[in-house]
């Protein structure tokens, strides 16, 4: 669990330092203040820089550039792709140019990034060096060229380094894209569920439901669906003629099996969120634009389930919104005495080309509400 969040040089977040986080964190702010960007950064951090996730994020933004031409142009396209992650698309090779994401502790002298809880992404220049080991076998090594040695490096390549704690991975950017799939597996100790704003991935939902079938967590899924349809008795995923699997629902008092998608966006959005939550045990749940498809009357009830299950599952939750109704539902649940220490609202503001933050705990939210202070 992250106690604080420090992000540097990632997209529009030149430097963002959120000093305190909670179990359930709601992030609000005007457009282009970096709400979704914060979720992306946390996703990269939680996945320990998994390439499949990074490329998925880039593709969703239309920033996954491709070239079928010469290796030189291929390198240019690779650099262009990865530069999309950096503030102002900067391509720099100094340590100060690196993206940093992680946890930081406050000290008397300032800030101290915790190495074991910090990751970095950066461009590097490297040289190939061939050596012979003690057995006479040829060993190829990649040596990062330091700034003070650049003049001595007559032939260097450009790579992309992902460093998590003491481990680092160097991706050559001039050898095509053989590393795109399966370059390194997702860390088995990391667990992250990311609910996007777009269309529901029926295949993903089916797999998530398979993980919790006939467990206690299946009961939580039914409970969440009952927020919209109180007669919900059971759900299942069945294969359609297209080969895809889709959710069906059985209501108490009826023998009919209905397709869940016939019951509206709200119940399908709730299914996506709750399946992600019960599969994010000992990890992170990220939800972009919580309110999508949800009527304001049901949001507080869904927040109640999230606040109840997040500690039980040891899950840290980060949610974005630009909806007053979402904030009101969050505030209603947070002000319950059992939940007051479990959540925090964080508002992002753009000031002088920098993103700043203001945080509200339960008491501060109540004061702001009483004084009609705008939070969003």
């Amino acid at each position: 669990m992250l106690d604080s969040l420090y992000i540097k040089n990632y997209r529009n977040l030149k430097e963002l330092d959120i000093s305190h986080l909670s179990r359930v964190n709601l992030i609000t702010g005007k457009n282009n203040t970096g709400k979704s960007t914060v979720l992306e950064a946390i996703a990269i951090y939680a996945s320990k820089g998994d390439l499949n996730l990074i490329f998925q994020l880039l593709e969703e933004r239309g920033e996954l550039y491709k070239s079928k031409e010469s290796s030189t142009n291929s390198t240019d396209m690779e650099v262009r792709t990865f530069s999309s992650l950096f503030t102002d698309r900067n391509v720099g090779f100094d340590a100060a140019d690196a993206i940093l994401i992680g946890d930081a502790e406050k000290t008397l002298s300032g800030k101290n990034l915790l190495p074991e809880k910090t990751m970095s992404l950066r461009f590097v220049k490297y040289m190939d060096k061939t050596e012979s080991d003690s057995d006479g076998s040829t060993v190829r090594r990649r040596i990062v060229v330091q700034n003070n040695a650049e003049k001595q490096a007559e032939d260097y390549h450009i790579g992309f380094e992902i460093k998590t704690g003491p481990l680092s991975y160097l991706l050559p950017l001039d050898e095509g894209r053989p590393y795109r799939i399966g370059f390194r597996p997702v860390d088995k100790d990391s667990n992250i569920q990311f609910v996007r704003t777009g269309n529901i991935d029926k295949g993903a939902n089916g797999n998530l439901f398979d993980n919790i079938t006939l467990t206690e967590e299946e009961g939580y899924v039914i409970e969440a669906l009952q927020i919209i349809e109180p007669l919900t008795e059971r759900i299942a995923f069945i294969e359609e003629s297209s080969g895809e699997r889709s959710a069906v629902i059985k209501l108490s008092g009826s023998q009919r099996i209905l397709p869940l998608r016939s019951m509206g966006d709200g119940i399908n959005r709730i299914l996506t969120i709750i399946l992600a939550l019960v599969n994010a045990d000992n990890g992170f749940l990220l939800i972009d634009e919580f309110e999508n498809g949800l009527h304001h009357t049901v949001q507080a009830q869904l927040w109640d389930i999230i606040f109840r299950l997040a500690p039980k599952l040891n899950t840290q939750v980060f949610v974005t919104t630009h909806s007053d109704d979402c904030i009101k539902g969050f505030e209603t649940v947070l002000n319950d005495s059992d939940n007051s220490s479990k959540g925090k609202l964080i508002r992002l503001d753009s000031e002088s080309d920098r993103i700043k933050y203001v945080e509200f705990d339960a008491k501060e939210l109540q004061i702001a509400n009483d004084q009609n202070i705008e939070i969003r």
Side-chain angles (χ1 to χ4, degrees), residues 16 84 132 137 153 191 210 272 282 354 361:
L16 177 65
S84 302
S132 296
S137 300
N191 187 10
D210 290 344
T272 297
N282 299 308
R354 290 293 180 97
D361 59 20

Side-chain angles (χ1 to χ4, degrees), residues 181-195:
I181 302 298
F183 176 81
R184 55 182 287 252
V186 176
D187 192 291
K188 298 302 181 183
D189 293 331
S190 64
N191 187 10
I192 173 175
Q193 297 294 330
F194 198 162
V195 179

Side-chain angles (χ1 to χ4, degrees), residues 101-140:
I101 308 170
D103 207 337
E105 64 178 0
K106 301 293 184 181
T107 65
L108 294 177
S109 58
K111 180 187 309 299
N112 179 32
L113 285 175
L114 303 173
E116 70 279 7
K117 298 184 73 174
T118 302
M119 72 169 304
S120 68
L121 303 94
R122 65 167 182 156
F123 289 101
V124 295
K125 297 176 180 179
Y126 72 92
M127 298 179 62
D128 285 324
K129 187 174 182 180
T130 303
E131 300 175 333
S132 296
D133 61 17
S134 58
D135 297 328
S137 300
T138 300
V139 179
R140 182 186 179 189

